[in-house]
Structures are given as C-alpha cells and as structure tokens.
C-alpha cells in the first residue's frame, strides 16, 4: 500500500501535525482545514472505505471512536461540541481511499450536509 498517502503518513514517511497516536490509530490536523479544529483520525492498517469494515475490523472503528473522544479533549471542544464525518465513495465525497474520520469543531457548524 505504498501508494496510499495515509498509509505513508501512518508509517512516518510523510510528515503530519500529529494530534494523537496509539497502537492502532493516528490522528493529525487536516492539511486544508474546513473549521478551526479539523482533525483526521485513521486506522494504522489500510482499510479503504467504511464499507470495508467487516466484523474483524470493527475494533479499528471502535478505536477511532475512542480516539475521537481523546482528540476532542485535546482540542478543547469536548463541551462546546464537534462533528464526526466519514465520507464514503464518490457521492459521499471520499477523495482518499484509506478510511478516515473527520473531527470538525471550534465554531458553530451549519446544518448543511453538502
Ligand atoms: P475525504 O474527502 O473525506 O477523502 O477527505 C480527505 C481529506 O484529507 C481532505 O480534507 C484533505 O484536506 C485531507 N488531506 C489530504 N492530504 C493530506 C495530508 N497530507 N495531510 C493532512 N490532510 C490531508
Ligand atoms: Zn492506506
């Protein structure tokens, strides 16, 4: 998976602004933030989309959710609020095909979903 940019970030081959890391998950600031807080949370193993999360990989998704709570606290938005988004495939707006969760906050977010 050397051609996958998020695998390369997870391997330390491409730099990122790391927010949180544990054995299975890495979280880093989005390079083109859409809100004052915009963090991407990824599994270190390659999973292409949320549709590829089978029973064996459900632990990765659980770890991403745990990491999201920690990132929210680290970024100081655990009380003010934030949004978690996973884009899937073309119409969902997925551009990078390595599973990732967006954590957005630090301002009042609008209800628009597009
Ligand atoms: P998505 O549209 O859900 O696939 O989101 C991909 C996200 O990855 C976008 O918000 C990009 O700004 C972000 N992104 C792309 N390359 C990098 C990078 N090298 N470091 C951090 N974020 C990135
Ligand atoms: Zn990957």
């Amino acid at each position: 998976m050397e051609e996958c940019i998020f695998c390369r970030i997870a391997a330390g081959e491409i730099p990122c602004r790391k927010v949180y890391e544990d054995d299975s998950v890495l979280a880093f600031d989005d390079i083109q933030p859409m809100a004052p807080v915009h963090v991407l949370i990824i599994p270190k193993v390659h999973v292409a989309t949320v549709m590829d999360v089978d029973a064996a990989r459900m632990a990765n998704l659980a770890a991403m959710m745990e990491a999201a709570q920690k990132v929210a606290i680290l970024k100081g938005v655990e009380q003010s609020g934030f949004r978690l988004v996973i884009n899937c495939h073309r119409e969902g707006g997925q551009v990078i095909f390595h599973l990732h969760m967006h954590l957005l906050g630090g301002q009042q977010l609008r209800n628009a979903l597009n």
Side-chain angles (χ1 to χ4, degrees):
M1 277 300 161
E2 280 306 296
E3 73 284 3
C4 172
I5 184 168
F6 284 179
C7 279
R8 296 191 66 195
I9 288 174
E13 295 169 12
I14 294 176
C16 70
R17 284 173 54 181
K18 189 196 300 182
V19 176
Y20 171 79
E21 181 175 19
D22 62 30
D23 285 350
S24 61
V25 169
L26 177 66
F28 51 94
D29 288 326
D30 196 291
I31 206 166
Q32 284 190 291
M34 295 177 68
V37 174
H38 188 171
V39 178
L40 300 177
I41 300 160
I42 69 168
K44 287 185 174 175
V45 297
H46 184 83
V47 179
T49 82
V50 76
M51 288 305 297
D52 299 296
V53 177
D54 55 15
R57 286 163 167 165
M58 206 54 78
N60 293 109
L61 203 54
M64 290 164 69
M65 290 301 307
E66 282 186 51
Q69 293 178 338
K70 290 175 174 149
V71 167
I73 292 166
L74 287 166
K75 289 289 188 177
V77 297
E78 79 277 17
Q79 293 291 335
S80 54
F82 57 91
R83 184 173 293 166
L84 299 175
V85 176
I86 298 177
N87 297 325
C88 186
H89 287 311
R90 184 184 66 255
E91 292 192 359
Q94 185 172 11
V95 173
I96 296 187
F97 283 78
H98 179 126
L99 178 63
H100 54 282
M101 183 182 282
H102 298 254
L103 188 154
L104 297 150
Q107 68 175 42
Q108 181 61 56
L109 298 173
R110 302 295 153 204
N111 283 326
L113 292 176
N114 59 12

Short mmCIF file of all heavy atoms in Angstrom, two decimals, residues 5-6 9 14-17 28-34 38 40 85-89 92-98 100-102, ligand 1:
data_model
loop_
_atom_site.label_atom_id
_atom_site.label_comp_id
_atom_site.label_asym_id
_atom_site.label_seq_id
_atom_site.Cartn_x
_atom_site.Cartn_y
_atom_site.Cartn_z
N ILE A 5 -1.49 7.53 0.52
CA ILE A 5 -0.89 8.65 1.26
C ILE A 5 -1.09 8.49 2.77
O ILE A 5 -0.18 8.80 3.55
CB ILE A 5 -1.43 10.00 0.75
CG1 ILE A 5 -0.73 11.16 1.45
CG2 ILE A 5 -2.93 10.10 0.89
CD1 ILE A 5 -0.97 12.51 0.84
N PHE A 6 -2.23 7.97 3.20
CA PHE A 6 -2.46 7.86 4.64
C PHE A 6 -1.66 6.68 5.22
O PHE A 6 -1.23 6.76 6.38
CB PHE A 6 -3.95 7.77 4.96
CG PHE A 6 -4.67 9.10 4.86
CD1 PHE A 6 -6.04 9.18 5.10
CD2 PHE A 6 -4.00 10.27 4.55
CE1 PHE A 6 -6.72 10.39 5.02
CE2 PHE A 6 -4.67 11.50 4.45
CZ PHE A 6 -6.03 11.55 4.70
N ILE A 9 1.66 8.30 5.73
CA ILE A 9 1.65 9.15 6.93
C ILE A 9 1.73 8.26 8.18
O ILE A 9 2.51 8.54 9.10
CB ILE A 9 0.41 10.06 6.95
CG1 ILE A 9 0.56 11.16 5.88
CG2 ILE A 9 0.20 10.68 8.33
CD1 ILE A 9 -0.66 12.04 5.70
N ILE A 14 5.61 10.36 5.40
CA ILE A 14 5.15 11.71 5.04
C ILE A 14 4.80 12.40 6.36
O ILE A 14 4.11 11.80 7.20
CB ILE A 14 3.91 11.65 4.12
CG1 ILE A 14 4.28 11.04 2.76
CG2 ILE A 14 3.29 13.03 3.94
CD1 ILE A 14 3.11 10.85 1.83
N PRO A 15 5.29 13.63 6.55
CA PRO A 15 5.06 14.30 7.84
C PRO A 15 3.60 14.70 8.02
O PRO A 15 2.87 14.91 7.05
CB PRO A 15 5.97 15.53 7.78
CG PRO A 15 6.22 15.77 6.34
CD PRO A 15 6.13 14.44 5.65
N CYS A 16 3.21 14.81 9.26
CA CYS A 16 1.88 15.33 9.59
C CYS A 16 1.99 16.08 10.91
O CYS A 16 2.99 15.96 11.62
CB CYS A 16 0.87 14.19 9.71
SG CYS A 16 1.12 13.15 11.17
N ARG A 17 0.94 16.87 11.19
CA ARG A 17 0.86 17.52 12.50
C ARG A 17 0.05 16.60 13.42
O ARG A 17 -1.17 16.66 13.45
CB ARG A 17 0.21 18.91 12.37
CG ARG A 17 1.18 19.92 11.79
CD ARG A 17 0.53 21.26 11.49
NE ARG A 17 -0.17 21.82 12.65
CZ ARG A 17 -0.84 22.97 12.62
NH1 ARG A 17 -0.90 23.68 11.51
NH2 ARG A 17 -1.45 23.43 13.71
N PHE A 28 -4.33 13.44 13.08
CA PHE A 28 -3.48 14.57 12.67
C PHE A 28 -4.35 15.65 12.07
O PHE A 28 -5.46 15.40 11.56
CB PHE A 28 -2.40 14.12 11.68
CG PHE A 28 -2.90 13.31 10.51
CD1 PHE A 28 -3.22 13.93 9.31
CD2 PHE A 28 -3.09 11.93 10.62
CE1 PHE A 28 -3.68 13.19 8.23
CE2 PHE A 28 -3.57 11.19 9.54
CZ PHE A 28 -3.85 11.82 8.35
N ASP A 29 -3.84 16.90 12.12
CA ASP A 29 -4.56 18.03 11.56
C ASP A 29 -4.74 17.87 10.05
O ASP A 29 -3.79 17.50 9.35
CB ASP A 29 -3.81 19.34 11.83
CG ASP A 29 -3.87 19.77 13.29
OD1 ASP A 29 -4.90 19.52 13.95
OD2 ASP A 29 -2.87 20.36 13.76
N ASP A 30 -5.95 18.19 9.56
CA ASP A 30 -6.20 18.19 8.12
C ASP A 30 -5.37 19.31 7.48
O ASP A 30 -5.25 20.41 8.03
CB ASP A 30 -7.69 18.41 7.84
CG ASP A 30 -8.06 18.06 6.41
OD1 ASP A 30 -7.63 18.78 5.47
OD2 ASP A 30 -8.76 17.05 6.21
N ILE A 31 -4.81 19.03 6.32
CA ILE A 31 -3.92 19.99 5.64
C ILE A 31 -4.70 21.17 5.06
O ILE A 31 -4.14 22.24 4.84
CB ILE A 31 -3.09 19.25 4.56
CG1 ILE A 31 -1.78 19.95 4.28
CG2 ILE A 31 -3.91 19.05 3.28
CD1 ILE A 31 -0.79 19.10 3.49
N GLN A 32 -6.00 20.98 4.81
CA GLN A 32 -6.86 22.06 4.31
C GLN A 32 -8.07 22.17 5.24
O GLN A 32 -9.17 21.73 4.89
CB GLN A 32 -7.34 21.78 2.89
CG GLN A 32 -6.28 22.01 1.82
CD GLN A 32 -6.89 21.95 0.42
OE1 GLN A 32 -7.31 20.89 -0.02
NE2 GLN A 32 -6.95 23.08 -0.25
N PRO A 33 -7.86 22.76 6.43
CA PRO A 33 -8.92 22.74 7.44
C PRO A 33 -10.18 23.48 6.99
O PRO A 33 -10.11 24.55 6.40
CB PRO A 33 -8.28 23.43 8.65
CG PRO A 33 -7.12 24.20 8.10
CD PRO A 33 -6.66 23.47 6.90
N MET A 34 -11.34 22.87 7.29
CA MET A 34 -12.63 23.47 6.96
C MET A 34 -13.29 24.07 8.20
O MET A 34 -14.42 24.56 8.11
CB MET A 34 -13.54 22.42 6.31
CG MET A 34 -12.99 21.96 4.96
SD MET A 34 -13.97 20.66 4.21
CE MET A 34 -15.48 21.57 3.85
N HIS A 38 -9.95 20.78 12.80
CA HIS A 38 -10.24 19.81 11.75
C HIS A 38 -9.16 18.74 11.79
O HIS A 38 -8.05 18.94 11.30
CB HIS A 38 -10.30 20.48 10.37
CG HIS A 38 -10.79 19.56 9.28
ND1 HIS A 38 -11.09 20.02 8.01
CD2 HIS A 38 -11.03 18.23 9.27
CE1 HIS A 38 -11.49 18.99 7.27
NE2 HIS A 38 -11.45 17.89 8.00
N LEU A 40 -8.10 14.60 11.29
CA LEU A 40 -8.40 13.31 10.64
C LEU A 40 -7.94 12.19 11.55
O LEU A 40 -6.83 12.24 12.09
CB LEU A 40 -7.68 13.21 9.29
CG LEU A 40 -8.03 14.27 8.26
CD1 LEU A 40 -7.19 14.08 7.00
CD2 LEU A 40 -9.52 14.25 7.92
N VAL A 85 -17.41 12.97 10.84
CA VAL A 85 -17.89 12.68 9.48
C VAL A 85 -16.99 11.61 8.87
O VAL A 85 -15.76 11.69 8.96
CB VAL A 85 -17.84 13.94 8.59
CG1 VAL A 85 -18.23 13.62 7.16
CG2 VAL A 85 -18.73 15.04 9.16
N ILE A 86 -17.62 10.61 8.24
CA ILE A 86 -16.89 9.65 7.41
C ILE A 86 -17.51 9.71 6.02
O ILE A 86 -18.69 9.36 5.85
CB ILE A 86 -16.98 8.21 7.97
CG1 ILE A 86 -16.33 8.13 9.36
CG2 ILE A 86 -16.30 7.23 7.00
CD1 ILE A 86 -16.46 6.74 10.00
N ASN A 87 -16.74 10.16 5.05
CA ASN A 87 -17.21 10.18 3.67
C ASN A 87 -16.95 8.81 3.04
O ASN A 87 -15.92 8.18 3.30
CB ASN A 87 -16.46 11.26 2.87
CG ASN A 87 -16.73 12.66 3.41
OD1 ASN A 87 -17.84 12.96 3.87
ND2 ASN A 87 -15.72 13.51 3.38
N CYS A 88 -17.90 8.36 2.20
CA CYS A 88 -17.74 7.06 1.56
C CYS A 88 -18.05 7.14 0.07
O CYS A 88 -19.16 7.56 -0.31
CB CYS A 88 -18.64 6.02 2.23
SG CYS A 88 -18.34 4.35 1.61
N HIS A 89 -17.07 6.73 -0.73
CA HIS A 89 -17.20 6.67 -2.19
C HIS A 89 -17.53 8.03 -2.82
O HIS A 89 -17.50 9.07 -2.15
CB HIS A 89 -18.20 5.58 -2.60
CG HIS A 89 -17.65 4.18 -2.41
ND1 HIS A 89 -16.43 3.79 -2.86
CD2 HIS A 89 -18.19 3.12 -1.77
CE1 HIS A 89 -16.23 2.52 -2.54
NE2 HIS A 89 -17.28 2.09 -1.87
N GLY A 92 -20.40 10.40 -1.64
CA GLY A 92 -20.14 10.80 -0.26
C GLY A 92 -18.99 11.79 -0.14
O GLY A 92 -18.74 12.31 0.94
N GLY A 93 -18.28 12.01 -1.26
CA GLY A 93 -17.20 12.97 -1.26
C GLY A 93 -15.87 12.40 -0.79
O GLY A 93 -14.96 13.17 -0.42
N GLN A 94 -15.72 11.07 -0.83
CA GLN A 94 -14.44 10.48 -0.42
C GLN A 94 -13.40 10.68 -1.50
O GLN A 94 -13.63 10.32 -2.67
CB GLN A 94 -14.60 8.99 -0.12
CG GLN A 94 -13.33 8.36 0.43
CD GLN A 94 -13.52 6.93 0.92
OE1 GLN A 94 -14.54 6.30 0.67
NE2 GLN A 94 -12.51 6.41 1.60
N VAL A 95 -12.27 11.27 -1.12
CA VAL A 95 -11.18 11.54 -2.06
C VAL A 95 -10.00 10.61 -1.78
O VAL A 95 -9.34 10.15 -2.71
CB VAL A 95 -10.73 13.03 -1.94
CG1 VAL A 95 -9.49 13.29 -2.76
CG2 VAL A 95 -11.87 13.95 -2.36
N ILE A 96 -9.74 10.34 -0.51
CA ILE A 96 -8.63 9.46 -0.14
C ILE A 96 -9.21 8.14 0.34
O ILE A 96 -10.00 8.10 1.30
CB ILE A 96 -7.75 10.13 0.93
CG1 ILE A 96 -7.11 11.39 0.32
CG2 ILE A 96 -6.71 9.15 1.46
CD1 ILE A 96 -6.10 12.08 1.17
N PHE A 97 -8.80 7.07 -0.33
CA PHE A 97 -9.40 5.76 -0.06
C PHE A 97 -8.59 4.98 0.96
O PHE A 97 -8.13 3.85 0.72
CB PHE A 97 -9.64 5.01 -1.38
CG PHE A 97 -10.86 5.55 -2.08
CD1 PHE A 97 -10.80 6.74 -2.79
CD2 PHE A 97 -12.08 4.92 -1.96
CE1 PHE A 97 -11.93 7.28 -3.39
CE2 PHE A 97 -13.22 5.44 -2.56
CZ PHE A 97 -13.14 6.62 -3.27
N HIS A 98 -8.43 5.61 2.11
CA HIS A 98 -7.96 4.98 3.35
C HIS A 98 -8.91 5.54 4.40
O HIS A 98 -8.98 6.77 4.59
CB HIS A 98 -6.50 5.36 3.63
CG HIS A 98 -5.93 4.79 4.89
ND1 HIS A 98 -4.75 4.06 4.92
CD2 HIS A 98 -6.35 4.86 6.18
CE1 HIS A 98 -4.48 3.71 6.17
NE2 HIS A 98 -5.45 4.19 6.96
N HIS A 100 -11.02 7.22 7.03
CA HIS A 100 -10.69 8.30 7.96
C HIS A 100 -11.96 8.97 8.44
O HIS A 100 -12.95 9.05 7.72
CB HIS A 100 -9.77 9.34 7.30
CG HIS A 100 -10.27 9.88 5.99
ND1 HIS A 100 -10.18 9.17 4.82
CD2 HIS A 100 -10.88 11.04 5.68
CE1 HIS A 100 -10.70 9.89 3.83
NE2 HIS A 100 -11.16 11.02 4.32
N MET A 101 -11.89 9.44 9.66
CA MET A 101 -12.99 10.18 10.28
C MET A 101 -12.54 11.62 10.43
O MET A 101 -11.44 11.88 10.90
CB MET A 101 -13.27 9.54 11.66
CG MET A 101 -14.40 10.11 12.43
SD MET A 101 -14.48 9.23 14.03
CE MET A 101 -15.28 7.73 13.51
N HIS A 102 -13.39 12.56 9.97
CA HIS A 102 -13.12 13.98 10.19
C HIS A 102 -13.71 14.39 11.53
O HIS A 102 -14.87 14.09 11.80
CB HIS A 102 -13.79 14.84 9.11
CG HIS A 102 -13.33 14.58 7.71
ND1 HIS A 102 -12.51 15.44 7.01
CD2 HIS A 102 -13.59 13.55 6.86
CE1 HIS A 102 -12.29 14.96 5.79
NE2 HIS A 102 -12.94 13.82 5.67
P1 LIG B 1 -12.11 12.93 2.11
O1 LIG B 1 -12.74 13.89 1.13
O2 LIG B 1 -13.09 12.50 3.18
O3 LIG B 1 -11.45 11.76 1.42
O4 LIG B 1 -11.03 13.76 2.90
C1 LIG B 1 -9.68 13.75 2.60
C2 LIG B 1 -9.06 14.83 3.47
O5 LIG B 1 -7.65 14.61 3.55
C3 LIG B 1 -9.25 16.25 2.96
O6 LIG B 1 -9.91 17.03 3.96
C4 LIG B 1 -7.82 16.75 2.73
O7 LIG B 1 -7.65 18.12 3.04
C5 LIG B 1 -7.02 15.86 3.64
N1 LIG B 1 -5.62 15.65 3.28
C6 LIG B 1 -5.11 15.30 2.08
N2 LIG B 1 -3.78 15.15 2.14
C7 LIG B 1 -3.43 15.40 3.43
C8 LIG B 1 -2.18 15.41 4.13
N3 LIG B 1 -1.00 15.12 3.52
N4 LIG B 1 -2.20 15.73 5.44
C9 LIG B 1 -3.35 16.03 6.07
N5 LIG B 1 -4.56 16.01 5.46
C10 LIG B 1 -4.60 15.71 4.15
#
